[in-house]
Amino acid sequence: GSNPLTVLVPLFSVKSIRQSTPVVLKANIISVNLTSNYDLDATSIVTISNLTGSTTADTGTLFVESTSSLLGSTGDWSKATGKLKLTVAAGGLVKDEMYSVSFTLTNPADDQISPQIIAESLIVSSGVTIGLIEKSSMSKPGIVLYGVSDGADPMKILGFHISLKTIEQNVPFAALNNMITVSLTINYDLAAGSTVTIFGLTGTQTEDQTMHVRSSNNLLGVRASWTQSNGTLILTTTRTGLRSGDIYNVSFNLTNPTTSQLSPDVSVTCLVESSGSEVGRIPVTPMEKANNELLGVHNGSSP
């Protein structure tokens, strides 16, 4: 670089960024990889901006982890602009070497698309500012995460939603065996080991037990845990689990009470897991009933 009129525009040849979860209100690990074509000596400042939407408050000491701590152990975080400033530590960053940094932000409560994330740097050499790496867009993975399209892109946020949550019965008559059928579509994957809990099916004569169930491709198992007192059935996903956006059905038999009753309020909730770790919990959601006439009984299809 000492030869006359040798010119090299400073830039990040690698500037990738991704997140660990798109789930609302969750702690979200942001991971960054950077490679520059200039040495960045100590006190150079690397800035990542436009990570907007996080609920993480302003702080000058946001904890970060970086390669050999060369991008420090804390950064200066601004919530409004989604900006993190990192000061290069003693030893500096060597050109054409890749350095990683990660930090945790708290996701917002509302859905949002991933914003355009920007990287830039102030270049210091021997204590003197010699130039800038100009602002440029960072690359995002653009891949599905937990069944969410672009779910690995930073600050892509999506709340849990059960778009299909119907329940019906096939017999409204007292003391008879009654087949309950449930249909579900969820906007996240429910990997093997996730649970779907249906509760509120009160008044039956069916005692506590591990009962037989029939589900789409057995992906909600062939056995489920039933509790009579609160009318709760807990199903556990198996094998490939449930895929976001697909329809899954499950049916099971209960014995109707001996006396008349109105259809109780029935709800559903899910514990979403992936590789044995919790992704999140789908809030309790009322199930939908068609309230159709069945065998001459008004609203007889409602369990």
Side-chain angles (χ1 to χ4, degrees):
S2 63
N3 292 337
L5 294 180
T6 297
V7 177
L8 180 66
V9 176
L11 55 78
F12 286 118
S13 57
V14 175
K15 46 185 176 181
S16 63
I17 187 167
R18 65 176 295 148
Q19 67 179 8
S20 65
T21 179
V23 178
V24 295
L25 300 175
K26 282 287 189 178
N28 186 1
I29 300 171
I30 308 296
S31 299
V32 173
N33 291 319
L34 294 170
T35 299
S36 65
N37 64 345
Y38 271 74
D39 291 342
L40 301 180
D41 285 359
T43 72
S44 295
I45 298 175
V46 174
T47 302
I48 299 162
S49 58
N50 213 30
L51 285 163
T52 52
S54 166
T55 63
T56 301
D58 292 356
T59 177
T61 56
L62 184 71
F63 177 73
V64 302
E65 292 183 303
S66 61
T67 303
S68 301
S69 297
L70 288 172
L71 280 160
S73 57
T74 61
D76 185 1
W77 166 254
S78 173
K79 174 184 173 183
T81 55
K83 181 180 291 185
L84 180 66
K85 291 184 177 181
L86 301 164
T87 301
V88 176
L93 309 188
V94 178
K95 73 181 185 74
D96 299 331
E97 295 288 333
M98 190 169 74
Y99 297 88
S100 300
V101 60
S102 63
F103 50 95
T104 300
L105 302 176
T106 302
N107 286 342
D110 298 321
D111 296 356
Q112 65 175 46
I113 63 172
S114 175
Q116 183 183 35
I117 315 297
I118 303 298
E120 59 184 304
S121 183
L122 179 72
I123 304 173
V124 173
S125 178
S126 301
V128 177
T129 299
I130 62 169
L132 297 170
I133 295 179
E134 298 287 350
K135 293 180 179 180
S136 59
S137 297
M138 302 191 72
S139 61
K140 299 181 279 190
I143 59 174
V144 173
L145 179 63
Y146 305 138
V148 177
S149 178
D150 297 328
D153 290 0
M155 304 316 296
K156 165 65 180 282
I157 308 300
L158 183 67
F160 291 118
H161 179 62
I162 308 176
S163 58
L164 178 65
K165 43 190 179 291
T166 60
I167 188 167
E168 62 182 14
Q169 65 181 11
N170 76 336
V171 176
F173 300 141
L176 292 185
N177 193 44
N178 185 5
M179 185 172 71
I180 309 297
T181 300
V182 171
S183 296
L184 297 170
T185 298
I186 301 167
N187 67 340
Y188 272 74
D189 288 345
L190 269 65
S194 300
T195 58
V196 175
T197 302
I198 299 163
F199 61 94
L201 290 164
T202 53
T204 77
Q205 296 186 71
T206 304
E207 297 179 348
D208 294 0
Q209 61 183 271
T210 300
M211 67 166 53
H212 178 71
V213 299
R214 297 164 294 281
S215 63
S216 301
N217 297 319
N218 293 333
L219 291 175
L220 280 159
V222 295
R223 296 282 179 182
S225 175
W226 167 257
T227 303
Q228 182 183 22
S229 60
N230 54 11
T232 296
L233 185 73
I234 301 176
L235 303 146
T236 303
T237 59
T238 64
R239 296 161 45 208
T240 59
L242 310 189
R243 298 300 182 192
S244 67
D246 289 346
I247 297 173
Y248 296 91
N249 301 309
V250 60
S251 60
F252 49 95
N253 293 324
L254 300 174
T255 303
N256 285 342
T258 58
T259 58
S260 298
Q261 68 172 36
L262 296 176
S263 175
D265 294 331
V266 184
S267 298
V268 61
T269 184
C270 305
L271 171 62
V272 182
E273 293 200 355
S274 178
S275 301
S277 297
E278 180 179 326
V279 174
R281 293 178 182 269
I282 298 179
V284 173
T285 304
M287 300 201 72
E288 297 172 353
K289 309 169 191 175
N291 294 326
N292 293 327
E293 182 175 305
L294 180 63
L295 301 174
V297 177
H298 180 63
N299 294 338
S301 68
S302 299

